Amino acid sequence: MTSRRRELAPVAVAALAATAPFAVATLRAIRRGWYPIGDNAFFALRARDVLTEHHPLLGTWTSASLSVGTDLNNPGPLLFDLLAMPAKIDPAAGVAVGVGALNVAAIAVIAFLAWRRAGALGAAWSMASAAALAWTLGSELLFDPWQPHALLFPFLAFVFAVWSMVDGDSWALPIAVGLASLVVQSHLSYAVLVPLLSLVGVVGLAAAARRRRPRGSRTLVGPILVAFGVGAACWLQPLVDQVRGEGNLVTLATHASSGATKIGPGLATRLAAWVLSLPPFWGRPSMARALYVPGPEPLPGRAVAAASLVLVVVALVAAIVWRRALKDRAAVSALTVAVAGVVGSWVTTAMLPVGILGIVPHQFKWLWPVGIFATFALAVAVLPRVPMAAWAGTLVAVVLGVLAMPTWNAHSGPSADAASIPTARALVDGMRLDSVHEVLFDPRGLRFAEPYSTVVLLELQRRGIEFRVNDEVLARQVGTSRLVDDASPLPRLVEREGDAAFAPPAGATVVSRVRALSTAEKAELDSLEDEVAGYIAEHGLPLNERGRRVQRDNGLPALRSAGPVLRDPGALLGTAELIRIVRSDLAPIDPSWRERFARYAELREGWNVRTVALFLVPPA
């Protein structure tokens, strides 16, 4: 075996270990009937719109609109463009394969860049880093099109490209431009951190060229021209929208940071430390318990969080000084980017807006790749430059890759509604719209973030039935070309859940209906509801200390103004609030009644969220 092959062997094994979980997870999901629901269906729908009359020039509508009071979309449609071909082949399997392929491509970029910078050692440990992120996310997020998840591997590849730039690799510049464009266009949470890291990369690249002048300056010309071309191609569609469409880029620039309370440095320190500097660091447990504020998870104390973050930065800086003395430029560059990532993550977190729902974890998912890259940089700095060190990275990649293969759902974003996929598929499979060619989908009356309406719209598109919407926010998601006035003469398709699924609007016909409970189970629910109502009226439900905190933090929104003792059955029965009180032990319940309350919560939740109907209302 030649020396070259000996170097490639650990990298090849590590790369196989890092990418295998994607193939396993995607094929298993397709075999089990996975389908994009909730926000995931928007990505399938808009990807299928590419190069049609509804071609998207922008990304999805962003919830930041709620904070600033102006409708905003994420800047660009690159993620739709990348998923277009597989989504047109199949809206479910195609999207899953497309996202999995995107992540594998990002891993290939990581391996390529790490090999150029640090040989077999860097490439093997970069694959260990990729396997670590795959394990952290868990199998069900490896093919998830929701952009807070789908962008994590491209973002990690971008960080590796920044490292390459700082280390003087000029051809990493166009790679970084393409990856930066993808992540910034697809989710606004990257709009601060990616430019900060890009600045570090450009400054590092310029400094490296200066050291090599005059030849260094000449070698930059080609990469800069290619990077300019990549950037122009990536941003052409948002620019077309700015001139001829919604004018979204200017609206973002003038409104995205206005009118919203920021997280601020104190809370940002505690959030960043949760992933970057305190156990379990970037591991799976921290992803599974991702922080909501307000929420059930206790935040680390400010002093402990600040001290731990400072300790991480000091350790990285100390490693820089040490490796610089040894003239290990690749390690110094990686550590420099790690410092920039940690500090930039804290700055970005502090600048994020607090939405009407508080602070939600999808706003700062990029903390996990930053923490993983910092760990990688320390490993490259500390490990000796011997063949066994590369094989050690391969061993870590294999272990983490194997651990990432079994089914595990972090229940984050749309994946939290995975149990509703069979209901969604049954609903659309049963749709009877044979003689309908165009409908108005009316979203009024739907609960926030229900998972079925997007699946219905995707199915209408798949069947070739043109749909229109009468809601401006929904139109921002499915394309403003589909927006019509509320007085449209089209027949209306409306969706109802729970009890409302059996209360059709006047003159409506049932298009499809899925019933979550059998007749016997529904009778049991009705009987239990009468018993639970009697208990609440007689004994009340006094919230315990934790329950009062959840109520105070708006975790029980329908009961925010209620007193600490809940005695009104009418305000509780049939609601998610009572289900949460029972499931989370937020109120003491007589031991002899606990089993009945638990059964009631089980049946009521199933009825509320997995009984759904579609009605077709004729034009007025």
Side-chain angles (χ1 to χ4, degrees), residues 64 67-68 189 256-263 348-356 358-360 363:
S67 301
V68 303
S189 66
S257 62
S258 64
T261 302
K262 303 299 186 291
I263 289 177
T348 301
T349 306
M351 295 177 65
L352 287 173
V354 178
I356 61 172
I359 299 169
V360 290
Q363 291 176 291

Side-chain angles (χ1 to χ4, degrees), residues 102-478:
L102 173 63
N103 288 330
V104 170
I107 292 174
V109 170
I110 290 169
F112 170 73
L113 293 171
W115 174 271
R116 284 169 62 89
R117 300 275 54 80
L121 173 69
W125 280 95
S126 74
M127 293 298 91
S129 301
L133 184 55
W135 167 73
T136 295
L137 288 171
S139 64
E140 304 311 285
L141 301 188
L142 299 183
F143 53 87
D144 187 23
W146 195 46
Q147 72 272 51
H149 301 143
L151 297 176
L152 292 181
F153 281 92
F155 174 67
L156 183 60
F158 165 76
V159 178
F160 273 84
V162 172
W163 167 40
S164 297
M165 291 167 63
V166 172
D167 201 39
D169 187 347
S170 57
W171 284 106
L173 176 61
I175 296 174
V177 169
L179 291 167
S181 298
L182 172 62
V183 296
V184 171
Q185 281 194 21
S186 302
H187 205 258
L188 280 176
S189 66
Y190 290 90
V192 175
L193 180 58
V194 165
L196 285 175
L197 289 174
S198 297
L199 179 62
V200 172
V202 169
V203 170
L205 185 58
R210 184 182 179 88
R211 288 193 301 267
R212 296 195 300 263
R213 64 180 184 180
R215 179 178 174 273
S217 299
R218 291 196 301 270
T219 59
L220 286 178
V221 175
I224 288 175
L225 290 176
V226 174
F228 181 82
V230 170
C234 288
W235 289 93
L236 177 61
Q237 294 178 93
L239 290 172
V240 170
D241 168 81
Q242 181 57 46
V243 175
R244 301 180 57 184
E246 306 296 326
N248 189 64
L249 289 179
V250 169
T251 306
L252 282 171
T254 55
H255 290 82
S257 62
S258 64
T261 302
K262 303 299 186 291
I263 289 177
L267 185 53
T269 300
R270 302 165 74 187
L271 288 169
W274 172 266
V275 177
L276 299 178
S277 57
L278 290 173
F281 304 107
W282 45 258
R284 178 177 286 185
S286 67
M287 177 67 69
R289 298 167 56 212
L291 286 175
Y292 290 82
V293 181
E297 294 290 346
L299 282 165
R302 185 179 300 183
V304 172
S308 65
L309 279 175
V310 169
L311 184 61
V312 166
V313 173
V314 168
L316 291 170
V317 171
I320 289 174
V321 174
W322 170 44
R323 299 314 296 184
R324 178 172 290 169
L326 297 175
K327 301 187 184 304
D328 186 351
R329 193 173 67 191
V332 169
S333 300
L335 292 162
T336 300
V337 174
V339 171
V342 171
V343 175
S345 294
W346 175 78
V347 172
T348 301
T349 306
M351 295 177 65
L352 287 173
V354 178
I356 61 172
L357 299 177
I359 299 169
V360 290
H362 74 257
Q363 291 176 291
F364 46 87
K365 290 281 187 178
W366 31 258
L367 284 172
W368 278 263
V370 169
I372 286 172
F373 183 83
T375 304
F376 163 82
L378 284 171
V380 169
V382 170
L383 290 168
R385 303 309 193 257
V386 297
M388 287 306 298
W391 279 108
T394 299
L395 177 62
V396 172
V398 169
V399 170
L400 290 172
V402 170
L403 291 175
M405 288 185 187
T407 302
W408 187 76
N409 191 343
H411 294 287
S412 175
S415 70
D417 287 317
S420 296
I421 289 178
T423 300
R425 300 206 70 153
L427 181 69
V428 296
D429 287 346
M431 284 170 53
R432 297 185 298 275
L433 288 169
D434 296 335
S435 61
V436 176
H437 304 288
E438 188 173 11
V439 297
L440 168 60
F441 184 83
D442 190 340
R444 287 176 293 191
L446 298 181
R447 63 183 169 94
F448 178 75
E450 55 77 34
Y452 304 114
S453 58
T454 54
V455 183
V456 171
L457 298 179
L458 179 59
E459 178 65 14
L460 291 172
Q461 181 198 54
R462 192 190 69 82
R463 294 189 184 190
I465 300 174
E466 188 64 63
F467 67 87
R468 308 293 177 179
V469 298
N470 57 354
D471 178 83
E472 290 191 5
V473 171
L474 182 56
R476 284 275 184 162
Q477 293 281 34
V478 300

